[in-house]
Amino acid sequence: MALIVKKFGGSSVATPEKMLNVAKRVLEEKKPDDKIVMVVSAMGDTTDELIELAKGVTKEPYKYAREMDMLLTTGEQVSIALLAMTFKELGEKAVSLTGIMAGMKTDSAYTKGRILDITPARVQEELNKGNIVVVAGFQGSDKYGNPVTLGRGGSDTSAVALAGALGADTCEIYTDVEGVFSADPRVAKGARKMNEITYSEMLEMARLGAGVMQPRSVEMGQVYKIPIHVRSTFSKNTGTIIREDYTMEEKSFSIRGVAHDEDVTKVAILGIADTPGVAHKIFDALAKANVDVDMIVQSMRNIEKNITDMVFTVANTDLVKAKEVVEKVAGELNASKVLIEENVTKISIVGAGMLGSPGIAARMFGALAKTGVNIEIISTSEISISCLIKGGSVKEAVNAIHDEFFPREG
Ligand code: ADP
Ligand code: ASP
Ligand code: MG
């Protein structure tokens, strides 16, 4: 007997036919004693469509974050009901549960909630009754009973967290690609599928934009020590296992992968006093508004006049909140100007092996230079180097960097 959590993304359950295929595959592969929990996303592009719908009543839907969550959670609710009905039509016992019913408790950070605790008693109960349990991904509820979503791509996190809380034997993430690749396979022509990747390298790839897994889901996997199998809904091939350490020999390259993120806005507060407490004032206000800040650069603009500029990036989805906060703080700090640029992209290389190899950064910058792309900000971590770029073709830039580190054969 095995307890298996299987998560199916939006493209895997985009139509009733696809749901039927998913249900048939699950039943085909299920051993008689297996207990199956399915976590599903909203059908196809439903979440995007719901966001567009909200834009019909307000230019800035994320200003009303609680209502956005009330709206967005409906997408997953449609999927679970239809998938449970599909199983029943096939003669199987199945039941749908919302995130709240599955015991997913979150904080109140609407649209980017964090799971605080999971008490999956109802899931256990339904499994014991012989049901396939179909749980809505991406959602939970806060202590007041409000629905809260877990940020875009959050069904991955629901699945891994539920697998951890249930003590599942395996967690499988079914998606529209064959696994985790060395770069987004829809962008990099030479992208290679990995057999394995460690939690820490996957977390860094995900954090830097590799949308195949939500970063928090990888963190959850690491916390619960659950290996995560990322694989295709549309083929039976083995995908990529995300786990603590490598177990197989793979062809070694100097880096593990390239990630890119187009969901980035650059914010610059110009002409502020270069005195203690200024950075704290800006970033404390942003933190209090729950805005995640990424690359931060403080320049040395005018030493004589003791004036500096503060430049940083935020996710596009946080822009409305960030703008409100920054304009207020900039006024209080007597800043000369606030500049906001939305069309920027962060491209990164990731690999635990790059530590202490300065040549790697030079190769990345060289590849970007060849495509004529200008680098606006550079930041590094122990296992990654990121460049913020503006203009030029993102696709060309990603391919240039990927080809530099993963030469195409033939
Ligand atoms: P799902 O709806 O199944 O959750 P997502 O669209 O969230 O699917 O994630 C799968 C997509 O992630 C792929 O279609 C691919 O374009 C993108 N992606 C980005 N980086 C990578 C990568 N390194 N490896 C695999 N896929 C990636
Ligand atoms: N439906 C949500 C989204 O599109 C959650 C998910 O698919 O993981 O972001
Ligand atoms: Mg996803």
Side-chain angles (χ1 to χ4, degrees):
M1 200 270 303
L3 173 52
I4 307 170
V5 174
K6 292 171 184 266
K7 179 255 169 178
F8 287 87
S11 51
S12 310
V13 292
T15 62
E17 295 72 41
K18 287 191 170 159
M19 285 201 186
L20 182 60
N21 289 338
V22 161
K24 282 185 178 159
R25 175 171 182 176
V26 168
L27 294 177
E28 242 171 68
E29 292 175 2
K30 177 181 177 300
K31 301 202 178 73
D33 287 344
D34 283 350
K35 292 185 171 177
I36 307 287
V37 176
M38 317 246 313
V39 174
V40 280
S41 298
M43 295 168 74
D45 296 327
T46 300
T47 308
D48 292 327
E49 286 158 14
L50 290 171
I51 295 168
E52 283 308 307
L53 196 59
K55 286 187 184 155
V57 294
T58 168
K59 265 197 223 139
E60 295 177 350
Y62 282 97
K63 229 162 105 178
Y64 309 111
R66 180 189 176 277
E67 305 312 325
M68 277 306 275
D69 278 355
M70 190 61 86
L71 177 69
L72 297 184
T73 46
T74 62
E76 271 66 16
Q77 211 162 316
V78 171
S79 304
I80 54 168
L82 294 179
L83 191 57
M85 286 184 209
T86 308
F87 277 114
K88 286 170 191 280
E89 277 289 291
L90 292 170
E92 203 62 32
K93 282 182 79 177
V95 64
S96 61
L97 298 180
T98 61
I100 301 160
M101 292 164 87
M104 201 68 79
K105 300 196 182 86
T106 67
D107 58 16
S108 298
Y110 302 117
T111 74
K112 48 174 165 174
R114 273 185 176 272
I115 298 172
L116 298 178
D117 184 32
I118 309 176
T119 40
R122 179 76 191 275
V123 180
Q124 293 279 17
E125 212 177 283
E126 298 296 344
L127 285 172
N128 293 340
K129 286 189 211 158
N131 280 303
I132 289 181
V133 183
V134 187
V135 179
F138 182 48
Q139 53 172 263
S141 86
D142 67 5
K143 62 180 175 197
Y144 309 106
N146 296 304
V148 177
T149 64
L150 307 178
R152 297 305 306 268
S155 298
D156 299 330
T157 304
S158 308
V160 180
L162 204 50
L166 289 166
D169 297 286
T170 353
C171 180
E172 298 171 344
I173 304 287
Y174 288 83
T175 186
D176 57 1
V177 286
E178 293 274 328
V180 179
F181 284 70
S182 53
D184 187 339
R186 296 186 200 288
V187 176
K189 290 199 189 84
R192 297 157 195 251
K193 197 198 93 187
M194 306 175 190
N195 293 321
E196 295 178 308
I197 182 167
T198 58
Y199 294 120
S200 50
E201 285 176 320
M202 185 66 233
L203 179 58
E204 195 72 347
M205 288 278 287
R207 205 178 61 75
L208 295 170
V212 61
M213 289 295 286
Q214 200 198 36
R216 281 182 201 160
S217 68
V218 186
E219 275 170 358
M220 288 280 176
Q222 191 160 26
V223 168
Y224 284 116
K225 300 203 182 334
I226 288 221
I228 306 167
H229 185 180
V230 182
R231 59 190 310 193
S232 168
T233 302
F234 310 108
S235 88
K236 302 245 162 150
N237 300 336
T238 305
T240 305
I241 312 284
I242 308 171
R243 54 157 61 109
E244 191 65 42
D245 289 307
Y246 290 103
T247 62
M248 299 178 237
E249 273 289 303
E250 278 194 74
K251 188 169 171 190
S252 82
F253 294 97
S254 40
I255 64 162
R256 197 74 185 125
V258 179
H260 73 283
D261 187 355
E262 294 181 77
D263 176 30
V264 180
T265 295
K266 183 173 126 188
V267 181
I269 308 176
L270 307 181
I272 44 177
D274 193 5
T275 48
V278 168
H280 174 257
K281 193 172 170 70
I282 296 171
F283 296 110
D284 185 51
L286 287 162
K288 286 194 174 122
N290 209 4
V291 172
D292 295 319
V293 175
D294 191 20
M295 303 168 121
I296 302 176
V297 176
Q298 182 183 323
S299 69
M300 296 255 289
R301 201 164 67 128
N302 190 329
I303 298 171
E304 278 162 27
K305 289 194 182 148
N306 224 25
I307 281 176
T308 186
D309 303 327
M310 193 71 81
V311 184
F312 55 91
T313 60
V314 297
N316 288 344
T317 41
D318 274 344
L319 178 56
V320 176
K321 262 193 286 173
K323 209 169 149 196
E324 222 170 77
V325 173
V326 162
E327 275 166 3
K328 184 165 175 279
V329 177
E332 290 164 10
L333 292 174
N334 268 327
S336 57
K337 210 174 194 178
V338 173
L339 289 178
I340 293 189
E341 277 179 52
E342 283 183 69
N343 294 321
V344 293
T345 302
K346 184 168 68 175
I347 304 193
S348 311
I349 56 175
V350 174
M354 71 167 66
L355 199 64
S357 309
I360 294 202
R363 283 170 65 191
M364 179 186 192
F365 306 151
L368 280 175
K370 269 189 238 155
T371 64
V373 165
N374 191 42
I375 303 172
E376 304 233 326
I377 304 180
I378 298 168
S379 70
T380 60
S381 81
E382 278 195 354
I383 63 167
S384 66
I385 303 169
S386 302
C387 297
L388 192 74
I389 63 165
K390 195 178 116 194
S393 156
V394 172
K395 193 167 183 155
E396 205 189 329
V398 170
N399 274 285
I401 296 173
H402 192 271
D403 288 346
E404 168 67 31
F405 293 100
F406 301 87
R408 277 188 250 174
E409 283 144 17

